[in-house]
Amino acid sequence: MFERFDAPEQVFTYRLGSALHMEQGSLKMLNELSAAAGDSGVKELLTQHIHETEHQVENLSRVFDLMNIDAEDNPSPTTKGLESEGESLVRKAEPPVIDDVVLAAALGAEHYEQAAYESLIITANALGRDDVAALLDENLSQERHAAEALRQKARELATR
Ligand SMILES: [Fe+2]
């Protein structure tokens, strides 16, 4: 992989590998958060997004194929940070507030994922790769819907 970047394609390739690591980390985090959640609706939301995330990993693999590049699994330190913050919150939370921290942690991850896809899509479009952009956009839409569902659930629990 690259020591330094001097072309948008290289940045794209590297960040695509980070996105793969991000989604793999997200799967682990969603499973942990789902196990920690107390509310059945929260568990259901997280389980639904676990299935979507598995599909997103497949979409990323297809992007690697379409770009004719190896599926590098580059580091995503932010994902690790989000995961460790989530674990820490869960450890500290007593049952009455467990779902609040689970939803806060999940929402943080979904927002980071949206940012990652937004910039990848900009580069894919600039490279004239509408096929790649379409797959990434499918992932972005799922992240947006997941974030909105988590936000609604957090509001519902906070005001009941
Ligand atoms: Fe996600």
Side-chain angles (χ1 to χ4, degrees):
M1 201 30 79
F2 318 103
E3 287 296 321
R4 298 186 64 79
F5 311 119
D6 60 8
E9 291 88 340
Q10 293 176 343
V11 178
F12 183 84
T13 299
Y14 186 86
R15 298 199 61 240
L16 199 58
S18 295
L20 184 60
H21 197 104
M22 172 185 84
E23 293 302 357
Q24 286 163 344
S26 182
L27 267 179
K28 182 169 175 272
M29 181 173 173
L30 288 166
N31 274 298
E32 287 168 2
L33 292 175
S34 171
D39 182 273
S40 62
V42 174
K43 274 187 196 290
E44 197 177 311
L45 269 183
L46 295 170
T47 304
Q48 197 180 329
H49 196 54
I50 286 169
H51 296 314
E52 285 176 338
T53 304
E54 286 163 351
H55 179 70
Q56 291 170 8
V57 170
E58 286 168 22
N59 274 355
L60 287 172
S61 299
R62 287 175 64 198
V63 169
F64 279 108
D65 287 345
L66 286 169
M67 299 289 291
N68 206 18
I69 49 181
D70 290 333
E72 294 274 351
D73 181 14
N74 294 331
S76 176
T78 305
T79 303
K80 274 200 186 318
L82 287 163
E83 191 186 327
S84 97
E85 185 177 346
E87 283 168 357
S88 162
L89 286 169
V90 164
R91 267 198 309 274
K92 288 178 198 294
E94 296 292 346
V97 291
I98 192 72
D99 291 305
D100 301 81
V101 302
V102 161
L103 289 167
L107 198 50
E110 297 316 316
H111 277 279
Y112 172 62
E113 290 161 15
Q114 287 178 59
Y117 286 121
E118 281 166 1
S119 56
L120 283 170
I121 290 166
I122 289 169
T123 310
N125 284 326
L127 294 171
R129 294 304 305 257
D130 295 347
D131 52 346
V132 166
L135 286 166
L136 296 171
D137 196 54
E138 191 189 342
N139 286 12
L140 174 60
S141 295
Q142 289 180 343
E143 309 302 14
R144 282 185 178 147
H145 287 127
E148 180 53 30
L150 292 167
R151 206 159 33 234
Q152 273 179 21
K153 191 72 189 168
R155 265 193 224 112
E156 182 193 315
L157 293 184
T159 54
R160 79 177 167 190

